[in-house]
Each structure stands twice: as structure tokens, then as C-alpha cells.
Amino acid sequence: MEMIFDKSRPGRRCTRFSCADVPQAKAPDAKFLRRSACELPEVSELDVVRHFTNLSRLNFSVDTNFYPLGSCTMKYNPKFTEDLSRLEGFCRLHPILPQLKGGAARVQGALEVLYETECLLCEITGMDHFTLQPAAGAHGELTGVMLIAAYHRAKKRKRRYVIIPDSAHGTNPASAAIAGYEIINTPSNADGTMDLAALEEKLNDDVAAIMMTCPNTLGLFENQIDEIARLAHKVDALMYYDGANLNAILGHCRPGDLGFDVIHLNLHKTFSTPHGGGGPGAGPVGVKNKLEKFLPVSRVKKNHDGTFALDYNHPDSIGYLAHFYGNFLVILKAYAYILYLGREGLIRTARHAVLNANYVLARLKDHYDTAASRCMHECVLSAAPQTAHGVHALDIAKYLIDCGFHPPTIYFPLIVKEALMIEPTETESKETLDHFIDCMVRAACLAKENPEALKKAPLTTPVARLDETKAAREMNCASI
Ligand SMILES: *Cc1c(COP(=O)(O)O)cnc(C)c1O
């Protein structure tokens, strides 16, 4: 791949400025001037247009292809929410307005969207309050664990540990560690859910919280969740819910009713705002009443006269977690999506997501090892049988690229060898799933009959199989 810098030719230009017809400003102090040329590419307008148009055609997205990336809920993002987020009344608001004198009166619509989104998320999850500030799931986790720390601090006790199951997403231990806790890892049992006896051994009054995902990353509902919550609450450890997999249970059960005290959601997963490529996202955090006073400022409040305002009067708050009030336009898209689907639509969403994953699992279970015979919204297969022919999960993932699919998540969860984690989501048709399944079956056949063909994949991409470590460390295209 050529970079725009490779197209540079001395003196080639997109624009030339005409002579100034105003007096020249005084030159800035020499200490502010750069000492060497800035070495921008020297290219024509056509070079620029062609380069970036061609690059954009290499994009892979939900809008172009099936994207069954497990744990990421890459569902279709309806375009009407994009249209709404482009309305001038929303996208041209200045975030400082609500804090200016008389400013709140001019942003009532936006504040109402925030207020109502919090109410809807409370209703959907069974929590008492929400903050919409965090900008991603992991940011929400950090916020949540900081709230947990504030809770224990207010009770004048120091707790050292957070318990996390071995199937957890890596951000869980990372967030708890950043918030100052030591991590205790707890194993899954043969069914793939949390091992209750092992948990009981680790649980004592030095534990601040248990962080769980439900359904967990094996795509399985934690069927002993009420007992786990009871044990945690007995020692006043709090229950944290990683909501990345909420899509599986939408409208069917609520984390607040399952015994969780703090949760984060990924609006960019469950509530269909675009994601990938680093954002922007939104990771709202919901809490039970006992944690409310610690929530970040600012909070949106509804006044007695029905108007809305930002409220900073929360002396026990953990403070700001992000500028202003989070990624407003992302929140707006999720709000519109929730209202569009309504109660019945959200219930159907979960049903179809679970049905699609089970369909994939049922049709592939004779060709791959499986972590379980039934699943929730995603299924975890294993390419362990294929290793007998020297083929690994990575080879199958690369082959799927040639078939026109984004590969599933691989080598996660860590407790499944050669894991291939497939999350089809509710928005894919049976035809797409059948095509994907046929390719997965073909990959399993090739593993036996012609493993070299899998080892060479992908063949249809601009660059072939990369040395991924090298590609990440040496971002110089010439070397790949
Ligand atoms: C995606 C995910 C996260 C992290 O969320 P981000 O929005 O990517 O920061 C945490 N836990 C699980 C299980 C996830 O799938």
C-alpha cells in the first residue's frame, strides 16, 4: 500500500494562495517558529481525492459485510438515528451552554433527552439511577469500581480485593486494578458458569466487589446468580454487572432484579450506536440508591416546574469522569433506537439474537468442539479438533476474510482452547447465517483435506497474512 507521503513530489500543490490584500501581521516571536520544514506531502487535489477514496473502499464494516465479532454486538446501526444526530439543534449546541446564565433555557431539548435516557435505562435494567458520562464500557467499569471504592470509604473501611471470574473480559481486572484493588481470579465449573464452592472460599470481608458478566463470555446465563449475590451481600461486597452482553436478556430479566448494585452498559453494542475504530462510544453506569450520592457530576435534574438543569450540588460525588455530559450524540442515537423499538421490539431483539446464535451453534457443532450445547446470544466454538491437522483458530479466521466475513473473536474467552466466539446479532438474515455456516463447514473440511490452503489465507486482501506483532510495532507500510 502506498502512503500519501509516497505520492509527494516537490512543488506539487492543491491550492496556491493569492497575494495578501491586507497588511501583513507582525511575525510571531522566533521562539514559536519551527526550525525545520514540516514535511507535509506535496500532492495535487486529485492525488488526495483518489488516495482517500480508494482507502475508504477498503473499509470493512457492518454496512458492507457480516461481522460476527463475539462479545462486540456488531449489529446493524439504523440510519435514522444518524439523521437525528445531525439535526442542527443537537449537533451545533455548545457544551458549555447549560452552565451559562440563561443557557439552560436554550438547551432544554438536549437536557430532556439526557434525563429521559437515564429513565429508560433505569426501566430496562432495574437500576435506580444512571450517569451517562463514561465514554466506553471500560470507562464505565472504572467509574463503577470507583463508586464501589467510595461506598466502602464512606463506611470507613478499607477493602483490598475484587473477585473476577476466569471467563471475564480483560478490561474487568484492568479497571479494578486502576481503581486500586487487587484481583482475585475465580474459576468456572465444568458447565462454564461460576464455581460457587470456589467463590465461597475466596469471599470474605476484605472483598469490595464481585465483577460478573451475564450471560458470561461463554454465552451462558449464570444460573446461580441469586445465590452469588446473596453470598456477596452477606459480607457487604457489592455486585458489579458488566453489561456488554445485555443484548441477550433485554426485556427478559433485569440486572437490578438479579441482585447487581452497579452496572455499566455499552450503548455502542446493545443500543446500536456505531462502534469500532476506537469510538466514540458511551458506557453509562447505573446504580442502586445506596450508591447514588457518589455518582459523577454533573447530573441532569428535572425542576418542579418541569424544566431541566445540570446539577453540581453533590458533595459526596466522585467528581468528573469526562468533559461535560458524555458523548451526547451517541446517547441521542441510543435514545432514538430505544424509543423506535419500544418494549416489544426490545424483547424481540433479545429473542432473535439468541435464536440466531443457537442456529449457528446447532449447525456447526458436528464440525467443531463446542463449549456448551445451548447458548444465549453468542456461541463459543473451538478449533481444537483441527489442530490435529496443524490448523488453528487463527487460520480459520483468516480464511473467513476471503469468504467476505469479518472473523469472529478468537482466543477469547481465555479458558477455551482455540476459541472462535461467534455473535451473529439479531439483525442478520437466515441467508447470511447459512452462507457463513457453509463457509465454516468448508473450513473444517479444508483443515482435513488441504490444510495448506487455510495457512495461506487471506488471499483477497490488499496485504496477505501479516506478522501481526511486527505490523503493530512497525507501522511503516513498506515493510508489509
Ligand atoms: C466490549 C466489552 C467490554 C469493554 O467495553 P468497551 O466499550 O470496548 O470499552 C467489557 N466487557 C465485555 C464483556 C465486553 O465485551
Side-chain angles (χ1 to χ4, degrees):
M1 291 291 303
E2 244 189 337
M3 292 176 80
I4 189 109
F5 291 92
D6 301 323
K7 298 197 165 101
S8 180
R9 294 294 176 274
R12 200 166 281 171
R13 288 284 181 277
C14 283
T15 46
R16 282 174 209 282
F17 294 106
S18 44
C19 297
D21 56 1
V22 289
Q24 191 163 356
K26 205 165 112 280
D29 193 305
K31 72 169 184 259
F32 295 122
L33 296 178
R34 56 182 307 135
R35 277 177 271 280
S36 57
C38 62
E39 295 181 12
L40 291 174
E42 300 182 68
V43 286
S44 72
E45 182 171 326
L46 177 58
D47 288 334
V48 174
V49 168
R50 215 168 255 173
H51 181 75
F52 288 104
T53 304
N54 284 328
L55 273 185
S56 77
R57 289 167 70 184
L58 301 177
N59 276 348
F60 194 104
S61 66
V62 179
D63 285 357
T64 61
N65 298 71
F66 182 40
Y67 207 130
L69 191 65
S71 209
C72 293
T73 315
M74 304 299 288
K75 59 171 82 174
Y76 172 67
N77 310 131
K79 297 296 168 255
F80 81 96
T81 64
E82 292 293 328
D83 291 344
L84 290 178
S85 74
R86 287 197 192 106
L87 291 177
E88 295 244 315
F90 288 127
C91 73
R92 293 185 70 82
L93 284 181
H94 197 288
I96 206 91
L97 252 180
Q99 294 170 42
L100 300 181
K101 194 154 179 285
R106 297 171 60 189
V107 294
Q108 285 297 301
L111 293 179
E112 188 171 353
V113 165
L114 294 172
Y115 184 83
E116 286 207 356
T117 304
E118 287 184 12
C119 295
L120 288 168
L121 295 181
C122 284
E123 178 65 29
I124 290 169
T125 60
M127 304 307 284
D128 298 323
H129 303 276
F130 260 90
T131 172
L132 304 174
Q133 245 183 56
H139 198 195
E141 289 170 31
L142 177 64
T143 308
V145 183
M146 286 171 69
L147 293 170
I148 290 167
Y151 172 83
H152 290 299
R153 218 168 28 243
K155 295 206 163 186
K156 308 237 177 314
R157 62 193 180 204
K158 174 128 185 60
R159 296 208 168 185
R160 272 174 68 187
Y161 302 107
V162 170
I163 297 182
I164 302 177
D166 58 1
S167 58
H169 195 272
T171 49
N172 291 185
S175 302
I178 292 175
Y181 287 105
E182 289 172 46
I183 313 303
I184 298 180
N185 210 297
T186 195
S188 308
N189 58 28
D191 300 338
T193 55
M194 196 186 257
D195 185 328
L196 206 57
L199 173 71
E200 264 190 288
E201 262 172 38
K202 295 165 203 271
L203 198 55
N204 57 41
D205 62 9
D206 213 4
V207 172
I210 305 178
M211 291 181 91
M212 294 187 67
T213 310
C214 185
N216 65 24
T217 63
L218 289 159
L220 304 175
F221 194 87
E222 292 282 352
N223 53 5
Q224 305 188 86
I225 192 68
D226 44 359
E227 181 60 9
I228 295 170
R230 197 185 63 77
L231 291 172
H233 289 145
K234 218 164 77 182
V235 291
D236 205 16
L238 298 186
M239 290 288 289
Y240 184 95
Y241 178 79
D242 176 331
N245 294 343
L246 188 76
N247 211 43
I249 59 169
L250 270 180
H252 293 266
C253 65
R254 311 191 303 171
D257 302 333
L258 297 175
F260 288 100
D261 304 294
V262 196
I263 74 172
H264 85 258
L265 304 178
N266 306 62
L267 296 189
H268 43 288
K269 294 180 179 173
T270 315
F271 297 106
S272 197
T273 66
H275 68 305
V285 168
V287 295
K288 288 288 177 61
N289 280 328
K290 60 185 169 192
L291 290 156
E292 185 205 354
K293 63 179 180 177
F294 307 117
L295 282 173
V297 286
S298 58
R299 311 235 349 245
V300 178
K301 73 166 180 199
K302 190 171 185 176
N303 297 316
H304 291 305
D305 63 359
T307 59
F308 299 90
L310 288 186
D311 183 9
Y312 295 85
N313 188 19
H314 295 277
D316 293 322
S317 163
I318 58 169
Y320 267 103
L321 261 295
H323 295 303
F324 304 110
Y325 209 81
N327 281 328
F328 174 67
L329 295 177
V330 178
I331 295 161
L332 173 67
K333 286 180 212 181
Y335 172 72
Y337 176 81
I338 293 170
L339 291 186
Y340 170 70
L341 284 178
R343 185 186 161 78
E344 288 307 311
L346 291 175
I347 292 172
R348 270 205 309 275
T349 291
R351 252 183 223 159
H352 287 184
V354 171
L355 179 64
N356 280 359
N358 277 284
Y359 179 65
V360 171
L361 176 61
R363 287 207 45 207
L364 287 177
K365 69 177 190 305
D366 295 336
H367 303 275
Y368 296 88
D369 274 359
T370 52
S373 58
R374 289 264 198 100
C375 62
M376 295 290 287
H377 66 306
E378 59 195 356
C379 61
V380 178
L381 306 179
S382 161
Q386 282 73 27
T387 56
H389 312 284
V391 168
H392 294 270
L394 179 73
D395 304 313
I396 291 162
K398 297 294 184 192
Y399 174 74
L400 289 171
I401 298 174
D402 281 341
C403 302
F405 301 118
H406 193 286
T409 297
I410 54 174
Y411 301 109
F412 178 80
L414 304 176
I415 51 175
V416 176
K417 259 195 225 142
E418 299 290 334
L420 291 150
M421 185 196 214
I422 299 162
E423 181 179 9
T425 83
E426 71 281 4
T427 56
E428 297 298 333
S429 66
K430 179 164 180 298
E431 292 73 30
T432 302
L433 298 184
D434 282 336
H435 181 37
F436 173 75
I437 290 163
D438 290 346
C439 292
M440 285 289 289
V441 171
R442 204 177 323 130
C445 295
L446 276 175
K448 282 187 216 148
E449 291 157 13
N450 184 6
E452 276 315 298
L454 293 176
K455 294 261 159 214
K456 290 202 187 93
L459 299 170
T460 56
T461 48
V463 286
R465 183 86 63 109
L466 296 175
D467 175 337
E468 291 183 0
T469 313
K470 194 166 176 215
R473 291 208 176 134
E474 298 171 28
M475 304 267 269
N476 171 5
C477 288
S479 71
I480 48 181

